[in-house]
Amino acid sequence: MNYEFWEPIFLSLRIASVASVFVMVVGTLMGHYMAKKLRRGKMIIETLLILPLVLPPSVVGFLLIILFGTNGFIGKIMMVFFQETLLFTWWAGVIAAVVVSFPLMYQVTRTGFEHVDSDIENAARVDGAGEWAVLYTITLPLTIKYILTGFVLSFTRSLGEFGATLMFAGNIPGKTQTVSTAIYVAIDSGELTLAWLWVGAMIFISCVMLFIIQLLNKSTN
């Protein structure tokens, strides 16, 4: 019972953690680029970046299978170099979590960078600061609240991912079964007590994440 209960939770936390770190780095870079650098074609690129947010999870899962499956473009490359596929592995869960949570991180960080006063950045440039110095000493400190908020939102979104993960990573107990898929199986098999325990655990973790967001917002007001 203990292993059966904790294994999906630990796997979900591991997937969400890895996915959120990757999303935080890439989302922050893209948010800065779109807010400060890109001018031409911005609307088209931004539409593509946030598209997973509005696509049905089954569509996301299907596209991931097409790309990473044994006959997909990336899947064939994986087979050539590693002789294995990402399908039905916990890394497939990470990829699914990255895809569905990235739009949240991107939107939050882009908003943060857009709120940074350009006059402050330009003043630093006039004083001789390079672009990297401006980014690390002025821009990032002024947007840290947005970056941390985006990380927490991405983490909770990754933690609760179900549809794309089920299609792409499967539901293999002890290997790819996350809390979301475990709850679905428990309800389907009539194990309501176990389902309630997992639901309670997810509610607790989600409340902690929301509490952290509230603290971040309060500390910067």
Side-chain angles (χ1 to χ4, degrees):
M1 172 62 181
N2 288 336
Y3 176 83
E4 182 183 7
F5 174 74
W6 289 109
E7 181 63 23
I9 294 178
F10 290 148
L11 180 60
S12 295
L13 291 173
R14 181 169 54 164
I15 289 175
S17 298
V18 174
S20 299
V21 170
F22 178 83
V23 165
M24 180 178 67
V25 175
V26 179
T28 300
L29 292 175
M30 286 302 301
H32 178 264
Y33 178 73
M34 294 293 288
K36 299 293 185 178
K37 304 294 183 181
L38 187 64
R39 294 294 181 267
R40 306 179 69 176
K42 183 174 182 178
M43 185 176 297
I44 296 175
I45 297 176
E46 188 163 78
T47 298
L48 295 175
L49 291 177
I50 65 176
L51 186 60
L53 190 64
V54 296
L55 283 177
S58 57
V59 174
V60 175
F62 174 78
L63 293 176
L64 289 175
I65 292 173
I66 294 300
L67 284 174
F68 290 91
T70 54
N71 295 321
F73 174 72
I74 300 178
K76 288 180 179 179
I77 296 176
M78 294 290 297
M79 291 299 295
V80 170
F81 288 97
F82 303 102
Q83 289 75 50
E84 61 182 2
T85 178
L86 288 174
L87 284 172
F88 307 119
T89 65
W90 81 278
W91 281 108
V94 172
I95 294 172
V98 166
V99 172
V100 300
S101 63
F102 175 82
L104 291 174
M105 185 73 204
Y106 163 72
Q107 286 187 303
V108 173
T109 53
R110 188 209 64 206
T111 301
F113 287 120
E114 288 176 344
H115 278 78
V116 175
D117 192 343
S118 298
D119 291 339
I120 300 176
E121 296 173 317
N122 291 331
R125 294 187 182 99
V126 170
D127 290 339
E131 290 300 320
W132 284 106
V134 172
L135 177 64
Y136 283 117
T137 60
I138 296 176
T139 310
L140 286 179
L142 291 176
T143 57
I144 189 64
K145 178 188 74 171
Y146 295 90
I147 294 173
L148 294 177
T149 299
F151 176 82
V152 174
L153 290 175
S154 300
F155 183 88
T156 54
R157 180 65 183 88
S158 299
L159 192 66
E161 166 53 30
F162 174 74
T165 300
L166 182 62
M167 291 186 64
F168 187 39
N171 182 41
I172 306 173
K175 186 178 180 182
T176 64
Q177 187 179 68
T178 61
V179 177
S180 297
T181 56
I183 292 173
Y184 174 80
V185 172
I187 294 175
D188 190 57
S189 59
E191 299 182 55
L192 295 182
T193 300
L194 187 57
W196 270 113
L197 290 173
W198 277 321
V199 168
M202 292 293 284
I203 291 175
F204 174 77
I205 295 173
S206 299
C207 287
V208 171
M209 294 296 101
L210 290 174
F211 182 70
I212 292 174
I213 291 177
Q214 294 297 324
L215 286 179
L216 289 173
N217 291 332
K218 185 176 180 180
S219 63
T220 54
N221 288 334

